[in-house]
Amino acid sequence: MPGELRVLGACPLDCPDTCSWVVTVRDGQAVSMRGNPDHPYTRGALCVKVNRYLEHSRAADRILYPMRRVGPKGSGRFERISWDEALEEISVRLRGIVEEHGGQAIWPYLGTGSLGYLQGCEGVAGRRFWNMLGASRHWLNICSTAGNSGLTLTNGTPGGMDPENFAQAKLILLWGTNPLTSGHHLWKFIQDARADGAHVVAIDPIRTRTADQADEHLAIRPGTDAALALGLLNVVLAEGAQDEEFLTAHTEGWESFREEILEYPVERVAEITGIPAEAVHRLGTRLARTRPTAIRATMGIQRHAGGGTALRTIAAIPGVTGDWRHPGGGVAYSTSGHAHLSIDTRDDLLPGPVRTLTMTRLGSELAKPDSVKCLWVYAANPAGSTSDGNAVRAGLAREDLFTVVVEQFPTDTVDYADIVLPVTMQTEHFDLHAGYGHLYLLWNEPAASPPGECLSTTETFRRLAAHMGMTEPSLFDSDLELAEDLLSSGHPSLEGITVDRLRKEGWVRMNYPEPFTPFAEGFPTRSGRMRFPPRGKAYVPSRSSQTDGGLVLITPAPHTFLNTTFANNPELLRRAKDPVVLVHPADAAARGLSDGQRVRVRNAFGEFLADVEVSDRVAPGVVASPKGRWPKLSPGGANANAVVEERDADLGRGAVYHDNRVELIPCAGP
């Protein structure tokens, strides 16, 4: 109809599906959004969260103008200022910090609020600007680094199966993943496989929505996944089902790893994992006899002290069974290793070597007054999402810490800012995306004008560089120029993919065959072979894997929020209701707890409040409380991160959100 346009875009949020969407624009206004029916992975559907994205972009609490703090840190009291005033104050403070303390006293704290290669974390937005100042590097370890490191040790890359090929699998292991809540588009391919006779097993400490729909659910003790992998392979060896041809041609370290497997018989694995021996044996036998087997393992599985090793050992399974040679066989964790985009962050602009600060150590780093003098937060909400929430907020409250927060909404982190800068949302700027759950590049074209005085992240850095008198030409590259650079790596997977083509078509599959068997003929390691874990390093116990010392807390993704995004949306908050903690009936009885009773979920680091839900969805010794709530919108002013310790996983300095023990203390009063 006249005055109506269809604008193609892409979801920017921290989800493997990276959906293609279509925004209908009528008379210059974005009036509706839907999943792109032409995209092979999105297939016309968005999730319950992103279905409200246009509504969310127009929310009454949207930040529309630059602001300066006028109350105490943490009070959330601000006055509106102009962009010129904001840029001038920021410029003066940054210059003063560099002169007095050196550029490394500046910490650009970038999160996963956007996975864009222009506006978000994948392209390390603003890095050229920070290099000019000699700012500290930022290690974004909060999400997936332990698993990425483990997979890279085994396969040479975290990249693995094309999730679309799950449709060809005959056995599907959904290992520590809940796609019906976090990445539901995979389920369509699983349904295709089931229609062709596939058997689906959910391996998860919680009986999730996905586990309800699986053919079988194994309630594994948290942190024991590597032991289960070894036990399943023990049965494969007992069945004589190892693929000797693949092992000889494409792996190294097999004999040593084989000896390790033999040390994990079914009975021992049952004791470690809490899964009955007969269930371990039954699944091991099915694994031995079923080709192809597809394993889906996502980020929650590696958020404990042995998380990197868990993925390393799980990744060894298709090397033993030879599943990598079969379409529909292998492991899918993240497809990002197959996206060979060129990211020229211009490290040559650095005045000298700089340190790297680790995302999950924010609280302890801010506790050192001389370490960080400026914290610049963008696409992140550390007061609501980072380990040891109490320590983070104590650090943010430092009066001598100059904090700039670039945000869309008044999060808990915003409340501690000295300067707040309004930033565009996805329907209002250009961006380029590569999903970590499929093999498509997606272009996001703006469908609406930014409200108020919101600027894109890239434009914010261009204006700040100009205001500070910087003249380096690369600081002022346009979004389209940056996108052209990203596509210029020369990798064969990008041949023929241009910005013009992406803008016209909205999405393009990278140049990988269909079906895609990435390691059928070898691995991207130095030797060209899969590298099995060394003897004695295939299972690393964690606190959560122990059987005493309090209750293990799991903080799964909720159905209504995505990390802390949407956690201020009134309708999604209404659906989420008050925070709950799932408690097994035996644990509830032992503590005299009943359904609906409010408790303090507590350990040495802090506490948060939740209402008990007595449920056999969790095993004895395990409690679960969904993540993602804003502390200030939670009872007691804290969320689950108050009890998460600042501690590293075994590989990649990954976070340990699922490796903390707590006790439940009844709240006083009615």
Side-chain angles (χ1 to χ4, degrees), residues 185-481:
H185 294 82
L186 178 68
W187 196 252
K188 298 171 184 176
F189 300 97
I190 293 171
Q191 286 178 314
D192 291 342
R194 291 178 96 171
D196 201 28
H199 185 81
V200 179
V201 182
I203 303 169
D204 200 300
I206 306 170
R207 196 172 77 248
T208 62
R209 290 171 180 254
T210 300
D212 280 340
Q213 297 300 316
D215 298 302
E216 195 176 347
H217 171 224
L218 301 184
I220 190 169
R221 182 171 293 130
T224 64
D225 306 280
L228 177 60
L230 292 166
L232 296 177
L233 288 175
N234 188 286
V235 179
V236 169
L237 290 184
E239 291 274 321
Q242 66 271 22
D243 188 327
E244 294 288 358
E245 182 181 349
F246 191 86
L247 287 165
T248 299
H250 299 302
T251 72
E252 61 184 49
W254 167 236
E255 287 305 319
S256 173
F257 186 54
R258 182 179 182 278
E259 294 302 315
E260 181 93 350
I261 292 169
L262 294 176
E263 294 177 5
Y264 285 83
V266 166
E267 293 74 17
R268 181 187 179 196
V269 169
E271 291 179 5
I272 294 171
T273 64
I275 300 171
E278 57 271 22
V280 176
H281 189 271
R282 182 172 63 248
L283 180 56
T285 302
R286 192 182 289 274
L287 173 65
R289 299 175 182 177
T290 310
R291 306 275 76 74
T293 289
I295 301 172
R296 177 64 162 168
T298 49
M299 287 66 205
I301 196 175
Q302 45 92 71
R303 292 183 181 141
H304 61 84
T309 297
L311 264 298
R312 183 181 192 181
T313 303
I314 289 170
I317 292 174
V320 177
T321 61
D323 273 295
W324 284 122
R325 68 163 80 234
H326 304 291
V331 176
Y333 175 71
S334 170
T335 57
S336 57
H338 299 308
H340 296 277
L341 296 172
S342 172
I343 305 173
D344 186 3
T345 55
R346 293 297 308 275
D347 288 353
D348 60 300
L349 300 176
L350 284 164
V354 296
R355 65 181 177 174
T356 297
L357 296 173
T358 305
M359 191 175 197
T360 52
R361 293 303 180 102
L362 179 62
S364 58
E365 202 64 43
L366 293 184
K368 309 169 188 174
D370 295 330
S371 177
V372 180
K373 294 296 184 180
C374 170
L375 185 72
W376 183 291
V377 180
Y378 52 132
N381 179 19
S385 60
T386 302
S387 308
D388 199 348
N390 291 330
V392 169
R393 287 198 280 183
L396 290 172
R398 276 176 39 203
E399 282 296 332
D400 67 324
L401 177 70
F402 179 55
T403 302
V404 178
V405 180
V406 183
E407 248 298 352
Q408 300 159 351
F409 294 98
T411 65
D412 293 80
T413 306
V414 164
D415 289 348
Y416 290 88
D418 294 290
I419 299 289
V420 181
L421 300 178
V423 68
T424 47
M425 293 180 68
Q426 187 76 346
T427 48
E428 302 155 6
H429 57 226
F430 294 110
D431 216 336
L432 175 63
H433 289 265
Y436 65 90
H438 57 61
L439 295 175
Y440 299 91
L441 297 184
L442 300 94
W443 181 257
N444 186 76
E445 189 81 8
S449 299
E453 296 178 3
C454 296
L455 298 179
S456 68
T457 300
T458 47
E459 180 62 17
T460 296
F461 283 114
R462 285 189 285 261
R463 292 197 186 186
L464 182 56
H467 200 93
M468 294 187 70
M470 297 178 181
T471 58
E472 162 56 42
S474 67
L475 298 176
F476 305 99
D477 283 353
S478 70
D479 289 352
L480 297 182
E481 289 172 326

Side-chain angles (χ1 to χ4, degrees), residues 405-622:
V405 180
V406 183
E407 248 298 352
Q408 300 159 351
F409 294 98
T411 65
D412 293 80
T413 306
V414 164
D415 289 348
Y416 290 88
D418 294 290
I419 299 289
V420 181
L421 300 178
V423 68
T424 47
M425 293 180 68
Q426 187 76 346
T427 48
E428 302 155 6
H429 57 226
F430 294 110
D431 216 336
L432 175 63
H433 289 265
Y436 65 90
H438 57 61
L439 295 175
Y440 299 91
L441 297 184
L442 300 94
W443 181 257
N444 186 76
E445 189 81 8
S449 299
E453 296 178 3
C454 296
L455 298 179
S456 68
T457 300
T458 47
E459 180 62 17
T460 296
F461 283 114
R462 285 189 285 261
R463 292 197 186 186
L464 182 56
H467 200 93
M468 294 187 70
M470 297 178 181
T471 58
E472 162 56 42
S474 67
L475 298 176
F476 305 99
D477 283 353
S478 70
D479 289 352
L480 297 182
E481 289 172 326
L482 290 169
E484 291 284 4
D485 276 351
L486 284 161
L487 296 170
S488 67
S489 71
H491 194 272
S493 66
L494 301 178
E495 186 177 350
I497 302 177
T498 64
V499 171
D500 286 345
R501 182 182 173 191
L502 282 168
R503 294 187 73 183
K504 179 181 178 181
E505 300 179 23
W507 55 270
V508 178
R509 181 181 168 92
M510 291 180 282
N511 298 314
Y512 291 107
E514 298 182 66
F516 181 41
T517 51
F519 310 134
E521 301 300 328
F523 294 80
T525 60
R526 183 174 298 179
S527 66
R529 294 170 174 266
M530 170 187 274
R531 300 173 295 208
F532 288 118
R535 184 73 178 274
K537 294 188 177 180
Y539 169 51
V540 174
S542 62
R543 289 185 186 174
S544 58
S545 66
Q546 308 306 310
T547 56
D548 55 10
L551 300 165
V552 177
L553 174 67
I554 302 292
T555 55
H559 207 64
T560 45
F561 314 140
L562 203 161
N563 299 331
T564 64
T565 302
F566 302 113
N568 61 322
N569 182 279
E571 174 57 21
L572 293 175
L573 269 172
R574 184 190 68 79
R575 294 187 192 183
K577 303 180 181 177
D578 284 342
V580 300
V581 56
L582 272 65
V583 187
H584 188 272
D587 292 321
R591 291 161 176 79
L593 302 176
S594 57
D595 243 358
Q597 184 175 4
R598 180 149 292 181
V599 295
R600 300 181 185 277
V601 185
R602 175 186 292 176
N603 63 14
F605 301 95
E607 66 179 27
F608 67 98
L609 303 183
D611 296 335
V612 169
E613 182 176 322
V614 180
S615 173
D616 63 359
R617 286 188 173 275
V618 291
V622 177

